[in-house]
Amino acid sequence: MPAVSKGDGMRGLAVFISDIRNCKSKEAEIKRINKELANIRSKFKGDKALDGYSKKKYVCKLLFIFLLGHDIDFGHMEAVNLLSSNKYTEKQIGYLFISVLVNSNSELIRLINNAIKNDLSSRNPTFMCLALHCIANVGSREMAEAFASEIPRILVAGDTMDSVKQSAALCLLRLYKTSPDLVLMGEWTSRVVHLLNDQHMGVVTAAISLITCLSQKNPDEFKTCVSLAVSRLSRIVSSASTDLQDYTYYFVPAPWLSCKLLRLLQCYPPPEDGAVKGRLVECLETILNKAQEPPKSKKVQHSNAKNAILFEAISLIIHYDSEPNLLVRACNQLGQFLQHRETNLRYLALESMCTLASSEFSHEAVKTHIETVINALKTERDVSVRQRAADLLYAMCDRSNAKQIVAEMLSYLETADYSIREEMVLKVAILAEKYAVDYSWYVDTILNLIRIAGDYVSEEVWYRVIQIVINRDDVQGYAAKTVFEALQAPACHENMVKVGGYILGEFGNLIAGDPRSSPLVQFNLLHSKFHLCSVPTRALLLSAYIKFINLFPETKATIQEVLRCDSQIRNSDVELQQRAVEYLKLSSIASTDVLATVLEEMPPFPERESSILAKLKKKKGPGAVSVTELEDSKREGGELNGGSDRGPDTAAMAASNASTPSPSADLLGIRSSAPVGAAPTSAGSLLVDVFSEAGPAAPSAAVNDDGFLSSAPPSEDPAPPLSEADELLNKFVCKNNGVLFENQLLQIGIKSEYRQNLGRMYLFYGNKTSVQFASFTTTVSCPGELQSHILFPQLNVQTKAVEPLVEGGAQIQQVLNIECLTDFSEAPLLNIKFRYGGALQNLTLKLPVTINKFFQPTEMASHDFFQRWKQLSQPAQEAQKIFKANHSMDTEVLKAKLLGLGTALLDDVDPNPENYVCAGVIQTKGQQVGCLLRLEPNAQAQMYRLTLRCSKDSVSRRLCELLAEQF
Amino acid sequence: MNYLFQIRFILIQNRAGKTRLAKWYMQFDDDEKQKLIEEVHAVVTVRDSVSYALSVLFSQFRNFKIIYRRYAGLYFCICVDVTDNNLAYLEGIHNFVEVLNEYFHNVCELDLVFNFYKVYTVVDEMFLAGEIRETSQTKVLKQLLMLQSLE
């Protein structure tokens, strides 16, 4: 076998490397390098033509210097010259220099295409491989343009050497990944599939990567690969451990090829052909059987290679999710691994079982391993293994074992690694909510969470417990009692104070009968924490105090005194000062009735997807929480508060934030981000109205003799749009049907269809109560900007009046006809007024009519797309936004949204296959506006760049705004 | 399953964090590369100090994962997609190391330093375009021997 001596062939290089290694300091190294650079520069510039050997040596030295981290700004031409040498070693150094430095100097590429062309047609397999490797390593668009048609020819030509075929297959794969539009399918396609039958296993190994990638993009065209892959796999699996000679690795026949074959099959559903399927099932069974056989070698390489195939086979079994027998066998096999002495295997078994837990066929089988997994959580020494154990417990949790699993996770939390605490907290919170049979258990669990890991309890978690307590009156008394007890601890976490303040402020009356928790005791307890808390918590406590004044008139004097003291009323923090002043005033001038209305108990929150589930998904990133999580939540959907009946598209924080009280908004929701679902009677908005007229500086201005709320609502004027109206609107940018709004009285559903510049929208108003709605009227208006163009309205909306009575439980329908006259940016408003039990309900929403609804999709080829893109090059025609991903970045979800947008989603246009481009024409009565869109996801940074180019600049801007909220 | 780049990069680092080979299969700019190199070093050495014998050789890393194995003072790291087959790449590393060992006749760190330009050739024979190209040690070594005979 060859042995290579140090720096053989290039003594000068070896000497230079030794010199560098001997440098005692960074300065010495730099000095030595500069000396060398000067030397090489003078050689390159010298009059004497350098011979090939010297050129190679100097270029190699430059490369070494570059790899040490220094910039190289010359020598490129010499490297390019080396390519035309007919000596392998010189060519190799030339190609290497170019492949490594190409990032920093892309102009090089144009210079070398000629040399590559020559090598590709040289018929010298060594040179051909060098050239192919260079293309595969650089993989630029320019190279694809030059060689994408040439390489398929090399790949399938009958006289191509095997090693060249291997390189050509992967080289083509690289070009297909960077420029799919340039790699044209053709008659070579079917011949590539047949490479699966090639005698040379190395050719199969390389070709299968190409075939897998092509199959994913064009499954139908490559369908024939399934049966070929199955028969190839079958031959490998049934061969003896020495049959495959060179391709046997530690007694395992062709492990990497087997894995790649199993992976290719995961691009397709189970084979339809019975014989093929039978053969495949047989293969999978053989693989499972082999796992039970005694090892042929004690070497870890043997078992790793064997298990690599086994895990890939299990992935395929899970992918098919249709063979209960295989699924259960897979689960049992993994169960054995859970006890294996190899940490890696235990880790992989836990990971793989997580996906098995989501299959209905194997969920029960997975559950039988609960004790082992709990034990792993307690005893594994490596944090990443414990993490997998926690993931698996989460995945296998259902109603039957929830209490046990939550208890174990809680006790683990006390000692858990900091890196995974936050995620554990979220998981516990979700499980506790999802499987809560009695809510006292839920409340206990969350308060325990705060006690054990308060720092890691994010806002979402404590918002959620408050939401649930507010929505469930059967648990309110228990919650008040428990939180009161928890606050007795001398040192309790600030999050506990927040929850305590909120809950006692709302429901303290439920425990006030007990002298041990009388109103004053409650107040003193809360106030004893006040001085240790941050400003937002203090603000929340102040609101709790004013609620106390309403709940317990006997505390009024004490609380007023607290509010009146300088540290409150003259607090340097504006928010605290304002609250102290306003609450003090409110408590002294408002009558008890008014106070009771203003400080009414919070209305229930609308049921939405749990915001913590959304947070967990976001935290784990796309893919990580994966389908399992989503399917899981679907399976359990609607069971409880956390149940989600929406798909992953609404899973984001943005949507669910609306259902949680925002950090600053507390009991009263004084900030604009008031809790949603504060129904039309909301005390919060009422208070805002009062103070927005008066302002804290002169509150008396609004006060008259009969109490300061005389001019307050219910008013007959249309209410301003709900604070969440924009969010509701955003939900409908990419879809036309769904529930637009819901509170405890009313549900509004929407169905709409659009053609050209016309649209028809059906609104369904459902009365959720058992009581009649009277004087039910709806009005559609176009706000602000829309109204200003009287002569040239932008939208024309026509509708007939609805029936004024809506019986309890009934639903009425209204049809709107919409005509888009010119482009617009403000959505029309829908105001709804009705009387419910005598009280006027007044509510304004934005109708989800957005400019994109009038899109006609336009299909176009890559060439046309770029031509139009270039035509729309005025700066104003382009709108661009870079933003963080708010939702899953999963390809299918993104595609569905882009299609929902109304444009055509164009495949094979963007050179980067990860990007999306769309085209469409917006139809208005007056004109047509052509629009091109490009969305570039960066999965790594969880960011997007969105670019729009439209023939009208206002459209670009508006679409950009709308779409930036969607992804 | 989304078929992007299987292998994002291959790194050989020594304990002190000096890079002995960096092979990139995805476009990264120079700053990004430097950051990745540092992060990988932090990941593999931290795990190592806990307990090598028991430590797991796969590590979640950004949206990818690092599969690595330590040989004496050198860490061989391969960065792949989170869904990729851990053990197959772990043994892929070992297969590569065995080839290096034959080729350099009991390979040591210095061989990789002085023959850095040959190491790239070995890599290209075994991994190309982020995929496994050839797995047979015999075939790879035969090819390397042939190339060695050319001047």
Side-chain angles (χ1 to χ4, degrees), chain A residues 750-769:
Chain A
I750 277 200
K751 253 172 91 170
S752 46
E753 52 203 28
Y754 294 88
R755 258 186 77 189
Q756 308 282 349
N757 69 322
L758 301 177
R760 176 166 297 166
M761 180 179 278
Y762 300 86
L763 291 166
F764 302 91
Y765 304 98
N767 181 344
K768 289 173 70 183
T769 71

Side-chain angles (χ1 to χ4, degrees), chain A residues 299-468:
Chain A
K299 288 252 166 66
V300 67
Q301 283 77 21
H302 171 71
S303 63
N304 278 348
K306 204 164 116 178
N307 291 328
I309 303 172
L310 177 65
F311 278 106
E312 205 59 64
I314 291 177
S315 293
L316 181 62
I317 293 170
I318 295 173
H319 168 77
Y320 286 163
D321 198 13
S322 59
E323 300 284 328
N325 175 34
L326 289 174
L327 282 162
V328 171
R329 280 196 67 186
C331 183
N332 294 340
Q333 182 60 52
L334 295 175
Q336 282 182 21
F337 285 158
L338 288 182
Q339 320 252 21
H340 204 278
R341 61 188 163 75
E342 269 284 319
T343 313
N344 282 331
L345 271 186
R346 295 198 302 278
Y347 175 95
L348 292 172
L350 289 165
E351 188 182 60
S352 198
M353 253 195 192
C354 253
T355 36
L356 272 178
S358 64
S359 163
E360 53 171 320
F361 300 114
S362 47
H363 183 76
E364 287 303 316
V366 170
K367 274 166 63 186
T368 59
H369 299 287
I370 186 168
E371 297 302 333
T372 319
V373 181
I374 287 173
N375 196 37
L377 185 65
K378 288 177 175 161
T379 56
E380 283 290 352
R381 289 175 60 183
D382 191 291
V383 53
S384 62
V385 185
R386 291 196 297 273
Q387 166 106 55
R388 289 286 139 313
D391 286 349
L392 178 53
L393 281 179
Y394 178 75
M396 67 162 71
C397 191
D398 63 18
R399 194 169 294 282
S400 71
N401 55 20
K403 285 204 173 174
Q404 183 188 8
I405 285 178
V406 166
E408 291 295 348
M409 285 175 128
L410 268 178
S411 78
Y412 173 58
L413 249 184
E414 309 216 23
T415 53
D417 309 77
Y418 294 105
S419 55
I420 64 173
R421 277 195 183 185
E422 189 181 349
E423 195 186 316
M424 290 286 296
V425 166
L426 288 174
K427 285 186 162 157
V428 171
I430 289 166
L431 293 178
E433 180 184 335
K434 202 154 129 188
Y435 299 112
V437 185
D438 66 279
Y439 278 87
S440 50
W441 174 70
Y442 169 75
V443 170
D444 282 341
T445 305
I446 301 296
L447 293 185
N448 262 330
L449 260 189
I450 297 177
R451 200 169 20 229
I452 294 168
D455 280 344
Y456 298 88
V457 172
S458 56
E459 287 171 343
E460 288 80 6
V461 173
W462 76 260
Y463 292 170
R464 190 70 191 153
V465 69
I466 283 169
Q467 260 180 339
I468 286 179

Side-chain angles (χ1 to χ4, degrees), chain A residues 444 447 451 478-489 496 504 511 516 525:
Chain A
D444 282 341
L447 293 185
R451 200 169 20 229
Y478 182 79
K481 179 167 164 282
T482 318
V483 80
F484 176 80
E485 279 159 11
L487 286 172
Q488 307 283 343
M496 189 70 87
L504 293 180
I511 55 167
R516 284 166 300 177
L525 180 61

Side-chain angles (χ1 to χ4, degrees), chain A residues 237-258:
Chain A
V237 168
S238 56
S239 61
S241 54
T242 50
D243 285 357
L244 304 178
Q245 296 165 358
D246 290 357
Y247 288 89
T248 298
Y249 178 81
Y250 289 88
F251 304 102
V252 181
W256 293 282
L257 180 53
S258 304

Side-chain angles (χ1 to χ4, degrees), chain A residues 76 93 99-100 195 240 243 324 341 364 369 386 467 542 592 621 698:
Chain A
H76 303 89
I93 296 295
S99 312
V100 174
L195 289 175
D243 285 357
R341 61 188 163 75
E364 287 303 316
H369 299 287
R386 291 196 297 273
Q467 260 180 339
L542 288 179
T592 22

Side-chain angles (χ1 to χ4, degrees), chain A residues 817-829:
Chain A
N817 287 314
I818 302 158
E819 187 184 9
C820 177
L821 301 167
T822 175
D823 73 288
F824 63 96
S825 53
E826 288 294 319
L829 298 176

Side-chain angles (χ1 to χ4, degrees), chain A residues 37 129 144 162 194 421 438 601 678 717 874 917:
Chain A
L37 285 174
C129 279
D162 290 332
H194 281 273
R421 277 195 183 185
D438 66 279
E601 201 176 285
D717 293 330
Q874 291 171 27
V917 291

